[in-house]
Amino acid sequence: MPDTECKISDADRLVLSAVMDLIVPPVDDLPGAGEMGLAGNAEELAGRIADYGEALHRVLEALSLDPSARAEGGFVALEEDQRIAALTALESSMPKYFDKFVDLIYIVYYSDERVHRHIGWRSGPLQPLGWELPPFDPSILETVSRREPFWRKA
Amino acid sequence: MSTTITHPPTDILVLGSGASGAAVAWRLSNRGFNIVCLEQGRWIKPEEYPNEHADWEIQARTNWAFDPNVRGLDEDYPINVDESPIDPLMFNAVGGSTIHWTAHTPRFHPSDFRVKTLDGVADDWPLTYDELEPFYDTYDELMGCSGINGDPANPPRKERPMPPLPIGPDGERIAKAFDRLGWHWWPSDSYVNSVPYKGRKACNNCGNTGLGCSLGAKGQTDVAIWPEAIKNGVELRTNSRVFRVDTDENGRATGASYYDAEGNENFQPAKAVVLAMNGIGTPRIMLNSASEVYPDGLCNSSGLLGKNLMFHTYAMVSGLFQDDLKTYKGALANMILCQEFYETDQSKAFVRGYTYQVARSSGPISTACGHMFGRVPWGAEHHAQFARRFSDVTVVGVIGEDLPEEHNRVELDPDLTDSNGIPAPKVYYELSTNSRKQLDDAIENAEKVLHEAGAAQILATPFLKVAGWHLMGTARMGDDPKASVVDRWGQAHDADNVFIVDGSVFVTCAAVNPTPTIGALALRTADYIDRERSDLKS
């Protein structure tokens, strides 16, 4: 699948958002990944990177074909336990695409600054700030240094 | 009809600008040789490195992935891994895989050069640790080694140029556990600056040494060696993809043919060719250089070119702690190592041994998607599981000594090619029973130390697939031309002006990261050329 071609329909976008809420559900004051409005971010990343695009399309297509989702209202109208069952079935039947799809959801979720605040992670690039650590203290070597050399002579 | 662009001849043509190619170019340019180096990648500017960007974790999984098959950049070549449970990893740019490495730099032990004599397996090297030691020292100084003397598991050696990197509270926690068990540990040697060194800054513990260091604090050859080599007069030609080492009717090298960035065919004549393209790239191009004189590939009268491929076998055992030590702070895999189980133990069901390389955790995306162990589950358990795995994890990585076996090999794929149409390599590899037993033993002992350190939960990844960092053995050295591709100096048995200086020449691979040994061997070969081959100098 060529990059930049990952358009999904409005209906699929609703399904994607509902699925994202199940993959990463609400926690404390944060809503689920779908309700946070991250479906568009997933779509955008899937459009940039072919593997994610293919996984997204395969999962949405499979969900649309799931017998339980053919009922009126489709996947979004199912009860939560039915939705989870549908996803669990996909995880078993198409693990390669499902795994990549879950990675996609995790990537957009854990790229979000609201999530970073919640987990205590500093957003932004690692440089130039880096992290502070105390310098090496040789006193930690006291025990191991007492050991006689044991490297094998050859 | 295309026309080949032919360049003025040079003394020494080096193929590849990574750990070994840079070292040879530097050393020989210091001794007055004219050098051209061909590199298929390009210079990477510090501001391009992912650590300078907020989406660094996404880049680490896509355009900056360790795996060239995932990265898929123009300068990469694909690798067929259908017959390998381990994915080979490498980087193609000025600096080669030193751009991408974590720069953990232990040395081989003296015993590693004598495994046939000591343990009755594989073969001895045609040289000793003592012969290599001064070259280790020089390479340490070139790249910048942080570490400390006094390690009881290794011979005494010259003082490292810099003190150790901080091991942090997480390092101290696991070190004390090793102490309580009476097991060896020592601060890791690393080519990462613990203090400013030769005009390069000190590491600021950002964590992801594997993504290129925009500070210049990591020993990458693009910053540690190339500036001086270029000052010496070396011409480093980038975007130059070699497809053949050319030879005359006597089988001696005449130079190399390559494609430039525009796809033009070029020929660089030289008095000698030094191959430094890693343990897969070098046999690939040598196999692709078959000719009337060399029907089975360049300098392959032994039939061993491409064979005896060794990876280090890896397992990861992770301890999940509840002390909130923020274990993502500090160089990822440059904390401490343990060599308690390095040598053959007659009471065990396997030969040779393993090193533990203790590592840290990483950012939130890596944690969620699976850093050193599996992905965090989705659904109701997700947040609780993520919290356990995120900010206080210590990983005991197992590096097992992989023994050479001829059926583990590199061949040319009959169909797959790179973007210039050059045949891609296909890797055949089977995990040996010996390696599996080593890893199982290592996992059991790693669990003991993590338990001793107070881990609340321990997760083991019994075999790591994305682990082919170390590519070795595919053009082994030896004294017998029937049983090796190059001699003790890295000179091909079949042609006295073809040299190999990368991990291809390894006879065995020890149980440590290979780069200091690769660098030391390359410098030793360069000294040999300078000392014995004045015929190669204009």
Side-chain angles (χ1 to χ4, degrees), chain B residues 58-68 70-71 76 89-91 100 211:
Chain B
I58 299 176
Q59 294 197 46
R61 307 180 74 79
T62 54
N63 56 314
W64 271 83
F66 289 120
D67 185 343
V70 173
R71 216 166 47 232
D76 292 320
L89 310 173
M90 64 182 72
F91 201 73
H100 229 204
L211 290 178

Side-chain angles (χ1 to χ4, degrees), chain A residues 25 106 110 127 131 147 150 152, chain B residues 119 152 204 340 376 382-383:
Chain A
Y106 284 175
Y110 286 103
Q127 293 293 349
W131 300 105
R147 189 163 173 179
F150 65 98
R152 194 178 183 187
Chain B
D119 292 327
N204 66 1
E340 185 67 29
V376 176
H382 177 78
H383 294 292

